[in-house]
Amino acid sequence: MKVALVYTSTTPELIELVEKEVRQLLPQGTEIISNQDPSILAEVREAGYVTAPPAARLVGMYMKAVSDGADAILNICSSVGEVADAAQDIAKYTGIPIVRIDEDMCREAVRQGVRIGVMATLPTTLTPTKNTILRVAREMNKQVELVDVLVDGAFGLDQKQFKELMTNYAAEISDRVDVILFAQGSMAYCEEYIHEKCGKPVLSSPRFGAAALKEALAKKGLL
């Protein structure tokens, strides 16, 4: 069995955590292909939204994974999650599912509360994540209130400094939300720390994405 992980960010912590979660859930011997193009996220950040050229390259990465024999694809970046949504017809045609790392996390946030705090370090990640939460809330016949916060000044910080910064921003919204959601998988290592500091449920995407990837493989009869 072979799975492809598609990255638009090459943060070492993110890659390590995602692969750890995937390996824990999938059978030993599963081949993991890591397809990476950080220029996609760089262009999205510069433009402020997903323009046609990076979207085309991302779809090309999906197709390369299909050509390389992947049985399923996990899209890691939430900033380009809506490109993964747009590629679902291709996925159905090829029979190779394209799974978003963050969609089941968004569903779990809707299950857990009405007031959902959305934390991100990139403005380009906030809107797609909020759109996904609102979409799954409609599918679940629930109304939710979103409280978003952009964690400014996060880039270049070490893990200790980043945790402290995250704590400061989380504290600003903790009394107004039922659950806190991290819009970027790279923030995941702060999940338990922020939960302990704020006393609210905190959700990050890698564990949900790995579980969704496993479910997609099971639906194909491979597990």
Side-chain angles (χ1 to χ4, degrees):
M1 190 162 57
K2 184 185 296 186
V3 297
L5 310 182
V6 174
Y7 296 93
T8 62
S9 171
T10 53
T11 308
E13 295 89 351
L14 174 63
I15 295 171
E16 181 181 353
L17 182 55
V18 170
E19 294 198 4
K20 176 185 173 184
E21 294 286 353
V22 169
R23 291 189 188 282
Q24 283 179 343
L25 289 183
L26 297 187
Q28 188 174 4
T30 299
E31 182 179 351
I32 296 178
I33 307 169
S34 182
N35 292 345
Q36 305 174 10
D37 184 352
S39 71
I40 291 175
L41 184 58
E43 287 185 30
V44 171
R45 288 178 58 195
E46 183 177 353
Y49 65 101
V50 183
T51 57
R57 292 204 303 280
L58 182 61
V59 173
M61 291 173 75
Y62 298 152
M63 295 303 96
K64 182 179 186 306
V66 172
S67 297
D68 289 343
D71 296 299
I73 299 164
L74 181 62
N75 182 82
I76 309 298
C77 180
S78 297
S79 290
V80 296
E82 290 171 326
V83 180
D85 291 340
Q88 290 307 313
D89 282 345
I90 298 173
K92 291 174 183 175
Y93 183 80
T94 61
I96 310 303
I98 301 171
V99 179
R100 284 183 57 167
I101 194 171
D102 57 346
E103 185 160 346
D104 279 2
M105 173 186 65
C106 293
R107 286 197 178 89
E108 182 60 25
V110 174
R111 290 187 192 100
Q112 291 203 23
V114 173
R115 302 174 304 162
I116 300 171
V118 184
M119 298 186 70
T121 64
L122 293 173
T124 52
T125 313
L126 276 175
T127 297
T129 303
K130 289 162 63 178
N131 287 345
T132 302
I133 296 169
L134 294 173
R135 172 173 61 80
V136 300
R138 288 193 301 271
E139 293 170 358
M140 297 167 69
N141 197 30
K142 288 188 66 176
Q143 288 189 333
V144 295
E145 174 188 344
L146 303 184
V147 180
D148 61 64
V149 58
L150 184 63
V151 181
D152 195 23
F155 283 94
L157 299 182
D158 61 31
Q159 289 197 7
K160 181 180 178 182
Q161 293 171 324
F162 185 68
K163 284 182 177 179
E164 291 173 355
L165 184 65
M166 288 284 288
T167 301
N168 294 337
Y169 276 91
E172 293 180 6
I173 64 169
S174 61
D175 62 344
R176 294 186 283 142
V177 301
D178 304 311
V179 57
I180 293 174
L181 178 149
F182 290 167
Q184 292 150 236
S186 58
M187 307 162 82
Y189 67 88
C190 297
E191 181 178 341
E192 189 59 33
Y193 185 82
I194 298 301
H195 168 64
E196 291 174 357
K197 291 290 185 180
C198 296
K200 298 286 183 175
V202 179
L203 307 176
S204 63
S205 59
R207 57 192 173 95
F208 288 96
L213 182 64
K214 180 180 179 180
E215 182 180 354
L217 292 165
K219 286 181 178 177
K220 291 186 66 174
L222 296 176
L223 293 174

